[in-house]
């Protein structure tokens, strides 16, 4: 399989403290079912992992995660400086779901011009995540 060289991002991990709480949050907010992932090696047996739905056969050849550098008032760099955006039909819907499921809205849906709309929320584990829609 030849990897698409135009986008080097192939994997992300969101670290959590309470797996059941975090799993319930992401499944409710994104309306998906996470898949239990086995420990990759015997040295990692103490890890608990749940994967987001993906097409594992084509993920490396057809579409990757997009990313960029962003400077935003109120959002510091350093620890917590990475922000993951989940695509959706209307980011206001997922932001509301986040608030209804133990998270909080950091910034309501707003326009990013011709690139659509985004909303920023904090999950149940203190991670900031974003939602993007056109």
């Amino acid at each position: 399989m030849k990897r698409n060289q135009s986008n080097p991002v192939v994997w992300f991990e969101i670290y959590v403290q309470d797996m059941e709480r975090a799993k319930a949050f992401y499944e409710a907010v994104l309306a998906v079912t996470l898949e239990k992932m086995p420990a990759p090696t015997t040295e990692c047996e103490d890890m608990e992992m749940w994967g987001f739905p993906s097409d594992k056969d084509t993920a490396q050849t057809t579409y990757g995660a997009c990313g960029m550098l962003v400077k935003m008032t109120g959002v510091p760099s350093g620890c917590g400086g990475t922000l993951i955006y989940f695509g959706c039909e209307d980011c206001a819907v997922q932001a509301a779901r986040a608030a209804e499921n133990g998270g909080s809205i950091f910034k309501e849906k707003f326009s990013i011009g011709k690139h659509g709309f985004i909303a920023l929320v904090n999950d149940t584990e203190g991670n900031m995540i974003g939602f993007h829609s056109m």
Side-chain angles (χ1 to χ4, degrees), residues 18-35:
D18 183 327
M19 182 59 79
E20 285 305 309
R21 177 178 64 197
K23 184 175 171 291
F25 174 84
Y26 282 98
E27 287 181 336
V29 170
L30 298 173
V32 298
T33 300
L34 277 65
E35 176 184 346

Side-chain angles (χ1 to χ4, degrees), residues 77-90:
S77 61
C79 184
T82 299
L83 186 58
I84 297 167
Y85 284 86
F86 294 93
C88 50
E89 288 293 316
D90 179 358

Side-chain angles (χ1 to χ4, degrees), residues 42-59:
T42 56
E43 289 89 27
C44 300
E45 288 178 343
D46 65 332
M47 295 174 72
E48 183 178 359
M49 300 178 293
W50 290 79
F52 288 89
S54 67
D55 183 348
K56 295 172 185 72
D57 294 330
T58 62

